[in-house]
Amino acid sequence: MQLSSALAFSHILMNQVVDPGDTVIDATVGNGHDTVYLAKLVGSHGHVFGFDIQQRAIDNTAKALQAARLTPQVTLTLAGHETVGKLLTAEQPVKCAVFNLGYLPGGDKNIMTKPATTLSAVKTIQQHLVTNGIIILLLYAGHPGGQQEAQAVIDYVSRLDQHRFQVLRYHFINQINFPPDLIAIQKR
């Protein structure tokens, strides 16, 4: 057996939680890899809400979805993930949400996720999570501001009521160059 990277482990978690017909969120669509992955998992009767603040990310994701013929079950929104509450109805159940924090790979490293907007989105999504639903956050700390955002997320999730949520931290402790941490919040 070989230990999975944080990214690969996020896919293992998605596979265990997401079923066809579910509603899920890709809070940071980036180049569309997780959006496509989630769209395949939810199938034609489910739905993926995808968010990003950069037009380039939305365009890259739209192309990836078109190539995979998965466009019908995805809504892409050019806005920050903190606006997620504007798209979800009050009673909209969410099975899974995924965040890849930091900046767009291959993009402008000055445009990145921020602790305040990330935590706002997480708190909103928590209100919509179904029992055993999960929020997955990949924390990339190797860029300016990344360590502060990672710490803000860790501080927040560490205080969640253990009777309402289980929180997992998946972290390699002997690797250089700030490998990503994975945080998983599961509703009980």
Side-chain angles (χ1 to χ4, degrees), residues 87-106:
L87 257 67
L88 298 174
T89 62
E91 286 80 36
Q92 178 67 58
V94 172
K95 190 71 163 289
C96 179
V98 180
F99 292 73
N100 281 281
L101 302 180
Y103 58 86
L104 175 64

Side-chain angles (χ1 to χ4, degrees), residues 24-30 35 38 47-53 58 61 65 73-81 83-84 87 98:
V24 300
I25 297 166
D26 186 347
T28 52
V29 300
T35 315
L38 288 166
H47 202 78
V48 180
F49 290 99
F51 297 84
D52 211 291
I53 61 171
I58 297 295
T61 301
L65 290 165
Q73 62 252 47
V74 179
T75 300
L76 295 176
T77 302
L78 179 62
H81 45 235
T83 66
V84 65
L87 257 67
V98 180

Side-chain angles (χ1 to χ4, degrees), residues 103-117:
Y103 58 86
L104 175 64
D108 183 346
K109 293 181 181 180
N110 294 310
I111 302 172
M112 63 187 100
T113 56
K114 306 281 187 212
T117 57

Side-chain angles (χ1 to χ4, degrees), residues 8 132 178:
N132 296 321
F178 300 102

Side-chain angles (χ1 to χ4, degrees), residues 10-161:
S10 74
H11 289 185
I12 291 169
L13 293 174
M14 288 181 229
N15 288 339
Q16 291 178 350
V17 172
V18 179
D19 295 312
D22 285 340
T23 297
V24 300
I25 297 166
D26 186 347
T28 52
V29 300
N31 288 311
H33 303 296
D34 283 340
T35 315
V36 168
Y37 197 82
L38 288 166
K40 288 177 182 177
L41 291 175
V42 301
S44 60
H45 297 292
H47 202 78
V48 180
F49 290 99
F51 297 84
D52 211 291
I53 61 171
Q54 295 185 66
Q55 185 65 55
R56 179 177 171 189
I58 297 295
D59 293 344
N60 291 346
T61 301
K63 287 177 189 171
L65 290 165
Q66 288 170 350
R69 297 185 178 160
L70 295 168
T71 303
Q73 62 252 47
V74 179
T75 300
L76 295 176
T77 302
L78 179 62
H81 45 235
E82 69 276 12
T83 66
V84 65
K86 294 178 182 177
L87 257 67
L88 298 174
T89 62
E91 286 80 36
Q92 178 67 58
V94 172
K95 190 71 163 289
C96 179
V98 180
F99 292 73
N100 281 281
L101 302 180
Y103 58 86
L104 175 64
D108 183 346
K109 293 181 181 180
N110 294 310
I111 302 172
M112 63 187 100
T113 56
K114 306 281 187 212
T117 57
T118 296
L119 292 176
S120 174
V122 168
K123 290 172 186 177
T124 299
I125 294 167
Q126 279 179 264
Q127 297 169 15
H128 292 270
L129 271 185
V130 299
T131 300
N132 296 321
I134 194 166
I135 299 171
I136 301 167
L137 299 109
L138 286 157
L139 312 176
Y140 293 89
H143 62 279
Q147 289 180 1
Q148 292 83 359
E149 183 172 34
Q151 192 59 55
V153 169
I154 291 166
D155 289 347
Y156 172 72
V157 300
S158 296
R159 294 188 306 268
L160 290 175
D161 180 352

